Amino acid sequence: MLKVCNVSKVFNNTKVLENVHLDVAKSSILGIAGPSGSGKSTLLRCIQKLEQIDHGTIECNGRAGFMFQDFQLFPHMTVLQNLIYAPSLKDKSGKENCKKQAENILKSLGIAAKTSEYPNTLSGGQKQRVALARSLMTHPDILLCDEPTSGLDVSTTMDVVSLLKSINERFDITILIASHDLDFLVKISDRIILLKEGAIVVNIDPQKQDAPIDFLKKYY
Ligand code: ADP
């Protein structure tokens, strides 16, 4: 589904990604762990082509969607407008279709009641659902999530686990998640890689690894 081969990325003469090699199976969930500044976001941004790589290749079979860390919802637009803004710019005649699609997605994520609300009236968990709904509007085959639980409390984090798992199963979407939250990553991921100074130093199946959190912590 996604092949990252010997990818390197340099910012200001510093190697931020170093010979990253990664093969992500279709429909799987990959967790990307690592200390702050280890290159997690940069890896996702390179896959989404928001950054150019300096070396290597990235092969992605399908469309990638990105869910930003701070949601990046437009504050002056309702939930529905947030969802249909970009798609209806591309296809003006299809606005009604976009609207229908947005309503269906909001319903499937359990936030149909918030359709006409503005982002500042939503909880962190609800904003997260809207951000996810907006990413799903582009019909991604791969969803790239940057720190999806940052700022959320424990119970909302557990909601995000079940939400992303259901998206993974229901829409058959491959998901990559960069997070500093090891407990969250172990619960949700089929595989976890750990980046350190831009290089992959661990690649495990958390269900087969004894005490995966303790194991991962050793590499921080
Ligand atoms: P993480 O997501 O693991 O916290 P990042 O990928 O955000 O790490 O950052 C990795 C390194 O790259 C950091 O040292 C960061 O300062 C640097 N970096 C990220 N984006 C840029 C940029 N646009 N310009 C210069 N340096 C950057």
Side-chain angles (χ1 to χ4, degrees):
M1 178 83 213
L2 173 71
K3 266 188 199 300
V4 176
C5 285
N6 289 327
V7 163
S8 298
K9 168 79 190 162
V10 177
F11 278 127
N12 308 327
N13 299 323
T14 307
K15 263 203 173 167
V16 174
L17 293 176
E18 186 147 20
N19 291 330
V20 171
H21 208 84
L22 193 59
D23 216 331
V24 185
K26 183 167 164 30
S27 311
S28 64
I29 301 184
L30 175 79
I32 305 170
S36 179
S38 57
K40 304 185 291 299
S41 292
T42 303
L43 177 58
L44 293 183
R45 294 173 65 82
C46 288
I47 294 168
Q48 181 71 342
K49 300 194 173 77
L50 295 169
E51 301 284 357
Q52 265 189 349
I53 54 177
D54 294 305
H55 186 264
T57 55
I58 297 179
E59 249 178 73
C60 182
N61 288 331
R63 197 197 311 260
F66 204 96
M67 196 162 72
F68 292 95
Q69 179 170 3
D70 49 3
F71 313 132
Q72 298 201 0
L73 299 175
F74 301 117
H76 59 292
M77 290 186 191
T78 65
V79 165
L80 181 68
Q81 288 163 343
N82 262 283
L83 261 66
I84 65 174
Y85 175 67
S88 52
L89 278 183
K90 276 194 196 146
D91 178 11
K92 282 201 164 47
S93 59
K95 199 165 177 178
E96 271 309 306
N97 258 346
C98 285
K99 215 174 132 185
K100 263 203 199 104
Q101 192 198 335
E103 283 165 353
N104 283 337
I105 293 175
L106 290 170
K107 202 161 139 196
S108 74
L109 297 187
I111 39 166
K114 303 291 174 189
T115 304
S116 307
E117 304 276 334
Y118 285 87
N120 66 357
T121 66
L122 306 178
S123 69
Q126 289 163 344
K127 281 183 195 155
Q128 181 61 275
R129 275 166 196 261
V130 175
L132 184 57
R134 191 171 60 177
S135 312
L136 294 178
M137 287 293 288
T138 61
H139 302 289
D141 302 291
I142 294 195
L143 185 63
L144 309 169
C145 307
D146 195 3
E147 296 282 356
T149 62
S150 80
L152 301 182
D153 59 28
V154 175
S155 84
T156 318
T157 295
M158 287 316 297
D159 288 346
V160 177
V161 172
S162 30
L163 187 63
L164 288 176
K165 278 208 167 177
S166 77
I167 294 296
N168 169 246
E169 284 161 16
R170 208 152 24 124
F171 299 96
D172 198 24
I173 296 178
T174 308
I175 304 182
L176 272 64
I177 306 171
S179 177
H180 66 281
D181 184 342
L182 295 180
D183 186 48
F184 165 67
L185 286 183
V186 164
K187 285 197 172 84
I188 199 164
S189 309
D190 299 310
R191 287 208 78 80
I192 297 181
I193 58 164
L194 192 147
L195 284 175
K196 194 157 187 193
E197 294 171 5
I200 297 178
V201 291
V202 175
N203 186 337
I204 56 162
D205 175 340
Q207 313 319 325
K208 292 196 178 136
Q209 173 68 49
D210 279 344
I213 295 181
D214 292 337
F215 179 78
L216 289 163
K217 275 186 180 160
K218 280 191 224 153
Y219 290 87
Y220 269 66

